[in-house]
Amino acid sequence: MDPFIHTLLSLINNVAVIVVIAYFLTRSQLFIRAIDNKMTLQDNLLIMLIFGLFSIYGTLGGIWILGGIANIRDLGPAIAGLMAGPVVGLGAGIIGGIHRYLQGGFTAAACSIAPFAAGLFGGILFLINRSRFPGMLQAVLLMIAIELFHMGLALLISAPREQAIQLVKSIIVPMISANALGMWFYAYIMENLQREHSLEKIRLMMEGELRVARDIQMSLVPKTFPPVPVRDEFSLYAILEPAKEVGGDLYDFYFTGEDRLFFMIGDVSGKGIPAALFMAVTRTVMKAKMNPDMWPGLVVTEVNQELCEGNEATMFVTAFCGFLDLKTGDVTYINAGHNPPAIVKADGSVSFLKVITDPPLGIRDDISYSEGILHLEIGDTLILYTDGVTEALNRQGGFFSEDSLMNALKGTAGMPVQDIVSRIRNAVHIFIAGNDPADDITLLALKLKSLKAVKHIPEE
């Protein structure tokens, strides 16, 4: 084999060993701290030692030619300097330089100074790049410059001069090629690591923001059960489980008069942050428009008009809104494209209610929403839900369905509302059997326990 090719292949083989080791090292927390420029004194000393040993390996794996050594010794100190600055680079260079000097030979002086200079030059470029590892092109050009400096130093101070010239002629191309290639591989690894780390930081930041968004969203829906003020005439319980970090389902309830309880459930089109924002807007507008002196249908009509205004994203929300009169048990409702509620009668029978249905909120601003009336007897329980319940998917692609909801409700007539909701939720989770929920799961159960007594004023 041609001596030139043999030398080049041997050096490339050494480069491959160092690159493989370096790759596994870059997976460690040490290199993450180096990327973040948060290294401790111990980290700096460890990098100095690691790449100092790389420099020694570059000498030991080199090839003796004409009294000198073709090697990749300067690569380790240069990388140390590029990673951690001049002091660390110099330290690695000293380790490699002292070892080379002890090997002897007429180029010992020049070749022991070169790794020292490599670490210094790498450290200077590190500082120029504001204490960050440079780009691939800069790193490779630096390595070529270091090897040219190495060759020039060998010609300048090594004797006999004729032998030094012959040595440089024999090794200059293989050494520059191998060291530049090694630096290219390492810079490539570092560039990918920096990119991965940046993406990971972005991911963690987004997850943190989504957790905050989830907390904010969950704080918007009431979670005090029984509701405040506590009333003996009814019991109510609700849950909201977003399929993602945040979702577009909502529920709400509050008194709009002394004896009138408003309750609602809704499902915004889409998922994620946009749906969560529209959910928050819907709840806020509903509460702002609520007026005890207005007909419920007019309240929802005005809410719809408000949601349509400026709705460039063309989002909409299905909603079932109810107004329970605690003196009569009558529920005035408006159904804006939502699933019909289920009812568990006091006698144990279960069914879906047939309700008047109008379009969802946010689609058209010229809709007048109709009111319907349903009546609850004492002991009846009204179940509101979103399609994340009935359309929950199992691993086989099957839906939980309305039939499964009916089965889950059988035998719940005498149960507390919290237990009824928990029973449905558990049935859904058992059905999907570990499959990720395809949609938010929201449930609200309202049971009429008694009617408020009406005081009669005696006639005079």
Side-chain angles (χ1 to χ4, degrees), residues 247-449:
D249 280 9
L250 70 150
Y251 68 82
D252 207 354
F253 53 86
Y254 44 84
F255 283 94
T256 62
E258 182 180 354
D259 300 315
R260 191 169 75 159
L261 175 71
F262 168 75
F263 59 96
M264 73 168 292
I265 194 168
D267 185 358
V268 177
S269 59
K271 298 178 179 66
I273 294 292
L277 291 173
F278 202 75
M279 166 268 201
V281 170
T282 301
R283 179 184 179 275
T284 301
V285 172
M286 184 69 73
K287 203 158 192 174
K289 293 292 183 179
M290 194 63 65
N291 185 338
D293 298 327
M294 289 174 59
W295 290 100
L298 182 57
V299 172
V300 176
T301 297
E302 292 192 358
V303 170
N304 175 64
Q305 292 170 349
E306 189 80 16
L307 293 177
C308 287
E309 186 177 344
N311 185 13
E312 296 178 359
T314 63
M315 300 192 74
F316 61 89
V317 54
T318 67
F320 186 93
C321 305
F323 298 78
L324 171 62
D325 188 332
L326 294 174
K327 293 180 293 186
T328 64
D330 290 336
V331 175
T332 303
Y333 71 85
I334 299 92
N335 186 27
H338 200 74
N339 308 75
I343 188 167
V344 180
K345 300 293 289 182
D347 62 10
S349 61
V350 297
S351 63
F352 289 107
L353 293 173
K354 294 182 179 180
V355 293
I356 301 169
T357 302
D358 285 324
L361 305 174
I363 293 181
R364 289 171 44 195
D365 61 2
D366 59 348
I367 299 173
S368 294
Y369 282 84
S370 306
E371 299 174 0
I373 302 291
L374 60 91
H375 182 72
L376 294 181
E377 300 288 348
I378 294 174
D380 291 350
T381 303
L382 196 64
I383 309 294
L384 307 183
Y385 57 95
T386 58
D387 57 14
V389 175
T390 53
E391 296 180 8
L393 284 167
N394 61 15
R395 292 186 182 276
Q396 291 72 42
F399 289 115
F400 183 73
S401 76
E402 288 81 3
D403 289 341
S404 296
L405 177 58
M406 284 290 100
N407 288 332
L409 289 174
K410 289 178 180 178
T412 61
M415 294 172 59
V417 287
Q418 183 171 351
D419 292 345
I420 295 174
V421 168
S422 296
R423 181 171 181 173
I424 300 170
R425 176 176 57 186
N426 292 340
V428 171
H429 284 293
I430 291 171
F431 176 80
I432 63 178
N435 201 26
D436 291 333
D439 202 354
D440 306 336
I441 296 174
T442 306
L443 290 157
L444 185 149
L446 171 65
K447 175 176 287 189
L448 183 66
K449 297 167 67 177

Side-chain angles (χ1 to χ4, degrees), residues 73-152:
R73 178 188 316 113
D74 302 333
L75 184 59
I79 292 174
L82 290 173
M83 283 189 60
V87 175
V88 176
L90 286 171
I94 290 172
I95 293 173
I98 291 176
H99 176 265
R100 171 62 187 93
Y101 187 79
L102 295 176
Q103 302 301 301
F106 80 104
T107 61
C111 291
S112 59
I113 294 173
F116 180 86
L120 177 63
F121 295 158
I124 291 173
L125 185 57
F126 172 81
L127 295 178
I128 291 173
N129 279 275
R130 299 181 180 180
S131 300
R132 295 188 64 83
F133 196 92
M136 293 170 60
L137 180 61
Q138 284 184 306
V140 171
L141 291 177
L142 171 71
M143 202 66 238
I144 293 173
I146 288 172
E147 291 313 299
L148 289 174
F149 172 81
H150 187 162
M151 298 299 111

